[in-house]
């Protein structure tokens, strides 16, 4: 038996898992949060997917006004750390701070704010909560230094094909700031993002409908 041998336990009923690309766990440095090393985050609010993935954490951000009942449900269902969206786009001001505090009290590992969030809100949030604040960066033109000075703990880069360039710029400004980034659709784009300086990668899984489509097609063929 070699030193890198890892015993793996599965079961007949848990064969259908949503697995993140292995290159993420092989190449990313990870971010250690409260002693837990996080290299991969699954980008979803689907409880069924969250319960059936090998990702290290959940990035639970959705395009609606954040609601505590959604945050509570996700944290209760997940057996891995959850980073919860608390607004910053449609939702602004004191409501964002209150949502962040509620997320902390509910057990979130961190909170995520959207790109339009004002630095003043981040400062007030930093003075209110103890858990990490993840600030989303979508363009290299953003005031990255200002975000860090305002109290961002982690930067979450979502810049489509420009993501690696944004990551490089951030690392030039502050080599020590932890970065989560979207990896793109292939192993090549994931590796490029990691080599640019991303510490952890978000993975967008197939939808329930897409997974079910494969299963139903298999069932149909079995009955032909």
């Amino acid at each position: 038996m070699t030193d890198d041998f890892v015993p793996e336990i599965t079961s007949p009923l848990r064969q259908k898992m949503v697995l993140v690309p292995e290159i993420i766990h092989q190449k990313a440095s990870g971010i250690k949060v409260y002693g837990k090393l996080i290299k991969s985050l699954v980008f979803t609010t689907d409880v069924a997917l969250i319960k059936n993935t090998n990702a290290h954490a959940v990035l639970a951000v959705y395009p609606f006004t954040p609601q505590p009942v959604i945050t509570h449900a996700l944290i209760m269902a997940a057996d891995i750390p959850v980073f919860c969206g608390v607004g910053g786009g449609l939702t602004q001001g004191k409501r964002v701070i209150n949502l962040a505090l509620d997320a902390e009290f509910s057990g979130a590992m961190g909170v995520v704010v959207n790109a339009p969030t004002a630095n003043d809100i981040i400062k007030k949030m930093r003075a209110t909560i103890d858990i990490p604040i993840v600030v989303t960066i979508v363009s290299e033109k953003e005031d990255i230094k200002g975000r860090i000075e305002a109290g961002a703990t982690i930067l979450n880069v979502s810049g489509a094909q420009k993501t690696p360039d944004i990551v490089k710029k951030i690392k030039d400004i502050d080599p020590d700031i932890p970065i989560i980034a979207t990896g793109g659709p292939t192993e090549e784009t994931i590796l490029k993002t990691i080599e640019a300086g991303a510490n952890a990668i978000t993975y967008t899984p197939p939808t329930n409908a897409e997974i079910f489509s494969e299963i139903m097609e298999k069932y149909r063929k079995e009955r032909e």
Side-chain angles (χ1 to χ4, degrees):
M1 182 165 48
T2 61
D3 291 339
D4 58 358
F5 171 73
V6 179
E8 183 174 359
I9 298 170
T10 60
S11 70
L13 299 180
R14 299 216 178 187
Q15 297 295 317
K16 196 72 177 178
M17 297 284 291
V18 176
L19 304 177
V20 304
E22 187 57 31
I23 194 171
I24 298 174
H25 293 163
Q26 291 174 346
K27 298 295 184 179
S29 67
I31 302 169
K32 193 171 284 188
V33 184
Y34 303 135
K36 293 182 175 66
L37 185 63
I38 296 171
K39 295 186 177 185
S40 59
L41 299 95
V42 62
F43 176 50
T44 185
T45 54
D46 189 309
V47 171
L49 286 171
I50 290 170
K51 291 295 289 184
N52 290 278
T53 182
N54 70 334
H56 294 159
V58 179
L59 188 72
V61 180
Y62 47 93
F64 312 106
T65 297
Q67 298 178 54
V69 67
I70 297 175
T71 298
H72 300 168
L74 291 168
I75 293 171
M76 184 176 294
D79 50 11
I80 53 178
V82 179
F83 291 81
C84 294
V86 294
L90 294 173
T91 308
Q92 289 281 349
K94 190 175 180 181
R95 184 178 181 88
V96 177
I97 300 169
N98 289 339
L99 287 164
L101 187 61
D102 180 81
E104 178 180 357
F105 288 166
S106 299
M109 177 167 274
V111 295
V112 186
V113 293
N114 292 329
T117 308
N119 285 340
D120 183 56
I121 295 299
I122 296 172
K123 287 179 182 178
K124 291 177 180 177
M125 194 182 302
R126 181 72 289 157
T128 305
I129 65 173
D130 182 60
I131 58 177
I133 300 171
V134 182
V135 179
T136 302
I137 304 293
V138 297
S139 169
E140 55 191 0
K141 295 179 181 179
E142 290 191 37
D143 180 15
I144 294 164
K145 187 176 181 181
R147 294 309 212 188
I148 297 169
E149 291 175 348
T153 317
I154 301 169
L155 297 182
N156 172 43
V157 181
S158 181
Q161 67 272 14
K162 292 184 178 180
T163 294
D165 296 330
I166 300 172
V167 170
K168 286 178 184 176
K169 181 177 179 180
I170 292 171
K171 286 298 184 180
D172 288 340
I173 294 171
D174 188 341
D176 298 324
I177 188 74
I179 296 176
I180 298 170
T182 53
T186 68
E187 288 198 352
E188 288 74 19
T189 58
I190 291 169
L191 184 58
K192 185 177 180 181
T193 305
I194 292 171
E195 289 175 343
N199 304 102
I201 298 293
T202 56
Y203 169 68
T204 303
T207 65
N208 253 338
E210 290 169 336
I211 296 171
F212 245 127
S213 177
E214 295 177 9
I215 295 172
M216 297 307 290
E217 185 62 28
K218 177 185 175 183
Y219 290 163
R220 293 185 194 103
K221 288 181 179 178
E222 288 174 351
R223 282 156 178 75
E224 287 178 354

